[in-house]
Amino acid sequence: INPATIGLVLAVAPLVFGVTRIIFAAVGDATGVKKVFILSPLAAGVSCITFIIASNPLTYGLGKVFSGVQDAAIWAVNRSAVAAGAKHVEISTAKMKALYWFGTAVGMTLAGFALTKFSFEQTLGALTVLALAATGIGFFLKPDSTKASASKILNKIHFIPKTPKALKTSLIMALGEISAAPLVLALTLYLNQAGYSALEIGAVLALYFAVAFVVMQVTLNSRKTINHAKLVMPSAVVSCTALIAIPFLPNYTPLLVAIMAVGDGLGSIVWEKLVVNALHDKKNMANFSTEIGVLHFPSKLVGAIALALAGVLIETLGFLAGFTFLALAWIAFAVESRKILAVK
């Protein structure tokens, strides 16, 4: 399958994610998070089964639909679950994001290793079992459900941020998603073309997320008061320089990927600051999940388009053009983030 087709197929997930996340968030706000949490591993299991039987881009795209549902269910309510009772919401959600990066690093390492020992179908079969086991464990979570009418849930659903500040923030986040959404695809395609094995690709991508995790943990747990928004611009410049340098210094790709991750780690902290800064009422948890979902909706739509375009760009003009496209969006995100967070 060529890069353009891969980009189009992968673009399905953020589209599904953006729409279903808002619906799941409204359900979570109205009835509690447990039901929504359980849906995530269940959708993951269905996604794995679909990938096992997939024989063409269309059926693989169906698998990405379920992947979008999987991610939407967990991200629809996880920030609100963490933020409840938190003294500093953006710090708590950023620490949660750091743990997500850690889990991603471990998962990619294990997946890469598994693919060297077992077939694609066997690896996905094992993941299906784990997903269904997680679904079962979810039923033992502490009940938090309340009854809500369908009309109450529907009244919460909307797709455009309600305040000018939230709308502007969502557009800035869309700039970040132009860079973030296609990044793993672009790196994976490059590493594959460069002759990296499945295990090596998994290791390099795991390195990226592991470094981002360490950067976030060190920064968030520092005893010194750090203005993260001030760091996002210089770190973005360094990271984007490393990204563009990859085609010129192929022997140093793992090191350059690690340098890139430093900027992503700091950028993830700033992302959480943007989210909290844009919320109209940070203390009102009744619509917390829905507001956050709506805030991310434009970025997911733009991210889907960016995935499709990145595949076409890489196929027609090469990796340097694709990496430059991502880097420019990354820099634009850093510039606008500083402005809206009033960094002087």
Side-chain angles (χ1 to χ4, degrees), residues 165-178:
K165 184 178 183 181
L167 180 59
K168 184 176 181 180
T169 299
S170 71
L171 296 176
I172 293 172
M173 293 165 70
L175 287 173
E177 196 70 15
I178 290 174

Side-chain angles (χ1 to χ4, degrees), residues 72-191:
I74 194 71
W75 285 102
V77 293
N78 59 0
R79 283 187 176 91
S80 55
V82 170
K87 185 177 181 181
H88 301 289
V89 174
E90 68 272 22
I91 299 298
S92 296
T93 57
K95 287 182 176 180
M96 176 202 68
K97 187 69 171 289
L99 289 175
Y100 171 76
W101 288 146
F102 175 76
T104 302
V106 172
M108 285 188 166
T109 302
L110 293 176
F113 177 77
L115 287 171
T116 65
K117 302 294 183 180
F118 307 100
S119 69
F120 181 75
E121 291 78 11
Q122 288 172 325
T123 301
L124 283 174
L127 292 175
T128 302
V129 173
L130 289 174
L132 296 178
T135 304
I137 293 172
F139 285 99
F140 293 96
L141 292 173
K142 183 180 179 181
D144 68 341
S145 299
T146 56
K147 291 184 178 180
S149 64
S151 60
K152 180 180 179 181
I153 295 173
L154 290 173
N155 286 336
K156 290 178 177 289
I157 296 175
H158 58 285
F159 294 92
I160 300 175
K162 292 183 176 180
T163 67
K165 184 178 183 181
L167 180 59
K168 184 176 181 180
T169 299
S170 71
L171 296 176
I172 293 172
M173 293 165 70
L175 287 173
E177 196 70 15
I178 290 174
S179 175
L183 185 60
V184 170
L185 167 64
L187 287 175
T188 301
L189 291 173
Y190 176 82
L191 293 169

Side-chain angles (χ1 to χ4, degrees), residues 294-324:
V294 172
L295 193 65
H296 284 79
F297 184 64
S299 68
K300 292 305 173 184
L301 292 181
V302 171
I305 296 171
L307 264 169
L309 288 179
V312 173
L313 199 59
I314 290 171
E315 183 178 354
T316 55
L317 299 178
F319 286 100
L320 179 58
F323 289 165
T324 302

